[in-house]
Amino acid sequence: MRNIYKKILLKRELKDKMLAVLIDPDKCRGSVLSSTIAALKTNVPDFIFVGGSFTLNSVDSLIEVLREETKAEIILFPGHTSQFSPKANALLYLSLLSGRNAEFLIGHHLNSALMIQKSNIEVIPTGYLLIEGGKSSSVEYISNTRPIPREKMEIVLSTAIAAELLGMKLVYLEAGSGAELPVPSDMISYVSKSLSLPLIVGGGIKTVDQLYKAFKAGADLVVVGNIFEQEPQKISQFVDCARKFGKEEI
Ligand code: 1GP
């Protein structure tokens, strides 16, 4: 069943907003994982993203637990080929277009291509753009690339449009997990106005107000991880905000 991208397009057409809860297999373990799962049972986000820039723990076993305990669809958000699992519903096939490191533009892709093809998983080619988030991020360090400066809106827009012209299906503006500053609202709005593709935004979003602002600026799907590792009970407010956005005052 290849229905994740269709669901994203449909929700976008309906002007519904989406939330993805990011679970890093290394950071979300033990009691943090139990409380996260408890929150996810009653507050089902649109998606659960699984992955991280650098992980040592198995993605496979985490997905098995999430499958048993929650209803949300699971999308791989891999920082490395080793984070592939055929058990997920879909895979974001990321190209780090803001950088000039061939490993993250095509290297990991060819290393995993045959394995992915064999698995029959839904593959969603995604242009991934790292934006300066106020402090150095794991993506920046691991990929050995520099983020796009926050004020360079034309560079961000041109890169996003290049992703579209290359045939990618999503664009992801990433400030980095735990960023001090999320992607600026004016940048989200500038890009979303000229881009035909669904726009994902993530990194450093810690409050419902920031989530609301990202949606209002034009993000279709917002990814939140870090804050839930500290306060999993906040998942309910965030799910609520995404569900109610545009339908009633929040
Ligand atoms: C990181 O965009 C995601 O890749 C989510 O960021 O962990 O800061 O919420 P946070």
Side-chain angles (χ1 to χ4, degrees), residues 29 63 78 80 102-103 110 137 165 237:
R29 297 173 60 72
I63 294 177
H80 190 267
E103 278 307 301
L110 77 88
S137 66
L165 297 175
Q237 306 163 24

Side-chain angles (χ1 to χ4, degrees), residues 63-84:
I63 294 177
E64 273 170 26
V65 175
L66 292 170
R67 272 253 174 280
E68 254 174 49
E69 305 278 353
T70 74
K71 291 196 195 83
E73 283 152 315
I74 299 167
I75 301 183
L76 291 173
F77 173 53
H80 190 267
T81 317
S82 59
Q83 292 173 28
F84 178 72

Side-chain angles (χ1 to χ4, degrees), residues 3-248:
N3 51 17
I4 300 284
Y5 190 62
K6 277 189 200 145
K7 171 176 162 178
I8 293 174
L9 288 181
L10 181 67
K11 288 202 105 178
R12 185 175 194 245
E13 208 178 299
L14 296 170
K15 296 194 168 35
D16 283 347
K17 299 296 181 178
M18 292 161 272
L19 175 74
V21 172
L22 172 64
I23 301 192
D24 180 315
D26 279 11
K27 294 198 218 147
C28 198
R29 297 173 60 72
S31 61
V32 179
L33 181 60
S34 317
S35 336
T36 304
I37 286 175
L40 289 171
K41 275 185 178 169
T42 39
N43 308 280
V44 186
D46 296 279
F47 306 110
I48 294 176
F49 279 13
V50 171
S53 304
F54 179 79
T55 60
L56 298 170
N57 288 287
S58 156
V59 165
D60 250 7
S61 50
L62 173 63
I63 294 177
E64 273 170 26
V65 175
L66 292 170
R67 272 253 174 280
E68 254 174 49
E69 305 278 353
T70 74
K71 291 196 195 83
E73 283 152 315
I74 299 167
I75 301 183
L76 291 173
F77 173 53
H80 190 267
T81 317
S82 59
Q83 292 173 28
F84 178 72
S85 165
K87 292 176 182 156
N89 297 91
L91 160 73
L92 293 190
Y93 204 43
L94 301 168
S95 297
L96 183 55
L97 299 180
S98 53
R100 298 295 178 269
N101 181 343
E103 278 307 301
F104 290 82
L105 289 164
I106 187 62
H108 290 294
H109 307 71
L110 77 88
N111 286 331
S112 56
L114 296 180
M115 169 174 74
I116 293 170
Q117 186 193 42
K118 212 162 135 195
S119 75
N120 219 19
I121 195 169
E122 180 177 351
V123 177
I124 310 177
T126 302
Y128 189 52
L129 281 64
L130 183 61
I131 314 295
E132 222 173 53
K135 66 175 195 186
S136 155
S137 66
S138 301
V139 187
E140 180 181 348
Y141 179 77
I142 296 289
S143 67
N144 199 15
T145 65
R146 289 163 61 195
I148 303 177
R150 296 175 70 76
E151 69 284 2
K152 301 288 182 193
M153 307 239 282
E154 293 295 342
I155 296 179
V156 175
L157 177 63
S158 300
T159 313
I161 297 297
E164 184 170 337
L165 297 175
L166 282 164
M168 292 177 184
K169 293 186 173 172
L170 295 172
V171 168
Y172 191 145
L173 303 183
E174 168 73 273
S177 190
E180 263 168 29
L181 307 167
V183 177
S185 294
D186 53 352
M187 182 182 285
I188 300 173
S189 126
Y190 189 64
V191 172
S192 70
K193 278 183 190 135
S194 302
L195 189 73
S196 312
L197 300 176
L199 186 62
I200 307 181
V201 172
I205 293 180
K206 304 172 195 79
T207 64
V208 168
D209 185 51
Q210 289 172 324
L211 175 70
Y212 185 86
K213 283 186 179 141
F215 284 149
K216 200 160 172 23
D220 298 296
L221 167 57
V222 172
V223 186
V224 182
N226 218 269
I227 189 66
F228 300 147
E229 287 158 17
Q230 296 149 42
E231 299 173 77
Q233 72 282 0
K234 280 200 170 170
I235 289 176
S236 72
Q237 306 163 24
F238 280 65
V239 168
D240 220 42
C241 172
R243 201 170 288 150
K244 290 181 181 159
F245 185 91
K247 300 189 178 74
E248 57 183 82

